[in-house]
Amino acid sequence: MKNLGILLSGRGSNFEAIARNVQAGKIPAQIAVVISNKEGAAGLATARNMGLETRFIPSQGKDREAFDREVVSVLKEFQVDVVCLAGFMRILSPYFVRAYPGRILNIHPALLPAFPGTDAQKQALDYGVRFTGCTVHIVDEGVDSGPIVCQAVVPLLDDDTQESLSARILKEEHRIYSEAVCLLVEDKVRLQGRRLMRKD
Ligand code: GRF
């Protein structure tokens, strides 16, 4: 059974969706540890209530790599195979990315490579695209730039606000993040350049 490590900084709804699918036996893995750099993160409380192992590792005032070394040592302690960034509001150092090559996933609320960075839903509204969505990608040393694992398309409606659009995207995030985790833990895919291909 593969071990998942979840990293979050806030609400944690993507984590919760993954955890429910793990509980339901829909993801052949277990959540070994949930780590947050924010003590008051709602997702950390949810994880505790679910009886999962949790760790609060403060990031404030720490050098990026020093913090990442602490996180990686906890992930190693729990023998984590796949790391899921679920609203983790930090950019990973090359040290972290190299510790888990091809085994760190992130969810972004836009159809990458469109609208990387923060406020992706607002960026889509401001630009006036007809469709946006969400992307699960493998984390590389750039920002929102790694190979794409899963995407879902969400149309923009005339009366959309940032809140209404974000809510519709979030529903798709919850669905595709678990799909992407399954692809990785079941070892069904391989990378050919940037393209994720199904193994025969
Ligand atoms: C999501 O919109 C995700 O795409 C982005 O941060 C948000 C996290 O939401 N990376 P939650 O904490 O999973 O509810």
Side-chain angles (χ1 to χ4, degrees):
M1 187 71 104
K2 293 268 170 74
N3 283 330
L4 304 178
I6 310 272
L7 268 58
L8 55 82
S9 302
R11 179 177 56 185
S13 71
N14 276 289
F15 146 66
E16 207 177 329
I18 293 169
R20 301 257 172 249
N21 282 328
V22 165
Q23 277 175 348
K26 292 180 183 162
I27 299 176
Q30 57 198 11
I31 296 178
V33 63
V34 179
I35 301 172
S36 180
N37 63 323
K38 299 280 175 205
E39 198 167 18
L44 204 56
T46 307
R48 275 192 211 107
N49 290 336
M50 287 179 158
L52 295 170
E53 286 279 358
T54 61
R55 292 286 185 278
F56 160 55
I57 305 179
S59 55
Q60 221 177 3
K62 272 180 205 159
D63 168 76
R64 185 178 306 286
E65 189 174 311
F67 170 76
D68 283 3
R69 280 183 185 275
E70 285 184 50
V71 173
V72 168
S73 83
V74 171
L75 294 171
K76 300 271 182 209
E77 177 193 332
F78 284 95
Q79 299 183 323
V80 163
D81 300 294
V82 172
V83 181
C84 301
L85 308 184
F88 186 59
M89 303 309 285
R90 290 186 59 84
I91 293 166
L92 305 191
S93 62
Y95 168 81
F96 194 152
V97 176
R98 286 170 201 167
Y100 285 93
R103 292 189 292 139
I104 308 172
L105 290 173
N106 183 41
I107 179 109
H108 183 74
L111 290 174
L112 290 171
F115 312 130
T118 53
D119 290 329
Q121 302 93 332
K122 180 173 186 304
Q123 289 186 54
L125 277 169
D126 290 349
Y127 195 95
V129 289
R130 310 303 299 189
F131 295 93
T132 183
C134 48
T135 304
V136 181
H137 65 93
I138 290 171
V139 175
D140 64 9
E141 291 182 28
V143 176
D144 299 329
S145 59
I148 290 168
V149 183
C150 290
Q151 290 187 303
V153 176
V154 175
L156 273 85
L157 308 178
D158 285 351
D159 57 0
D160 257 334
T161 60
Q162 216 178 307
E163 289 67 38
S164 64
L165 177 61
S166 299
R168 287 207 317 289
I169 295 174
L170 193 63
K171 224 175 138 197
E172 295 300 302
E173 292 183 33
H174 293 167
R175 184 174 64 78
I176 67 167
Y177 210 161
S178 290
E179 281 180 22
V181 172
C182 277
L183 286 175
L184 246 72
V185 297
E186 288 173 346
D187 205 21
K188 282 191 174 154
V189 284
R190 66 184 165 84
L191 272 180
Q192 189 175 306
R194 286 192 53 88
R195 291 176 68 192
L196 206 82
M197 316 287 261
R198 240 167 213 282
K199 286 184 182 168
D200 307 315

